[in-house]
Amino acid sequence: MSKTSSPEQASATFRALSDPTRVRMLRLLASNDTELCVCEFVDSLQERQYNVSRQLKVLVAAGLVDGRKDGRWVYYRLCPATTAPDKHLRKLLGALEVDEVLAQDQRRFERRIGLRTDGQCRIGIQTPNLAE
């Protein structure tokens, strides 16, 4: 996740965690130990593509996730947990009580990840009204 545990980095992390959608995104990544493309986030969280991209930008800026480009797809994953606060944050994300929202996210994620070809997303957003 973050490279240092300075007060500035801690503040950026807390700001990033202040949005429920970003917490849901981090929870999916932490719970499933995988990387996800924007399309998979959109379909799993039932959030508009614009909102998912905006939230990912905040998480990247906070040093919580990073992305890698693979053709037209960008895959996001949790940054490696290199400091004690990073490790504690991962434990916290994994320990969140699974309410109906998180349970639905996970069910949609499991269906969506099953659509991958050779372990990669290649079909785009499957919920057309969220592609805007």
Side-chain angles (χ1 to χ4, degrees):
M1 292 183 168
S2 62
K3 294 183 171 79
T4 64
S5 55
S6 69
E8 292 80 17
Q9 182 59 43
S11 179
T13 298
F14 289 130
R15 279 192 307 273
L17 294 172
S18 70
D19 181 87
T21 300
R22 292 192 290 263
V23 172
R24 290 169 59 208
M25 295 169 94
L26 291 171
R27 168 86 172 141
L28 270 183
L29 290 171
S31 297
N32 296 289
D33 193 31
T34 190
E35 58 185 11
L36 291 152
C37 77
V38 173
C39 314
E40 292 167 329
F41 276 118
V42 168
D43 289 332
S44 297
L45 301 174
Q46 293 293 289
E47 293 284 337
R48 292 190 175 279
Q49 184 272 327
Y50 170 79
N51 188 40
V52 167
S53 295
R54 187 170 43 108
Q55 304 302 352
L56 284 166
K57 184 177 178 181
V58 172
L59 293 171
V60 168
L64 296 171
V65 301
D66 64 2
R68 74 171 176 86
K69 191 157 175 70
D70 180 18
R72 65 183 249 197
W73 313 100
V74 180
Y75 291 90
Y76 292 90
R77 64 182 173 90
L78 289 175
C79 291
T82 57
T83 66
D86 295 342
K87 292 173 186 172
H88 290 300
L89 177 58
R90 290 240 177 133
K91 285 181 186 176
L92 174 67
L93 289 168
L96 287 176
E97 183 176 335
V98 178
D99 64 2
E100 188 54 33
V101 172
L102 293 178
Q104 286 178 353
D105 290 349
Q106 185 64 34
R107 285 191 296 272
R108 286 188 297 258
F109 163 80
E110 289 168 3
R111 283 192 302 270
R112 184 60 171 83
I113 205 81
L115 299 177
R116 285 186 169 191
T117 303
D118 297 324
Q120 303 293 310
C121 175
R122 295 293 184 242
I123 60 171
I125 296 170
Q126 296 299 292
T127 314
N129 63 318
L130 298 175
E132 303 167 350

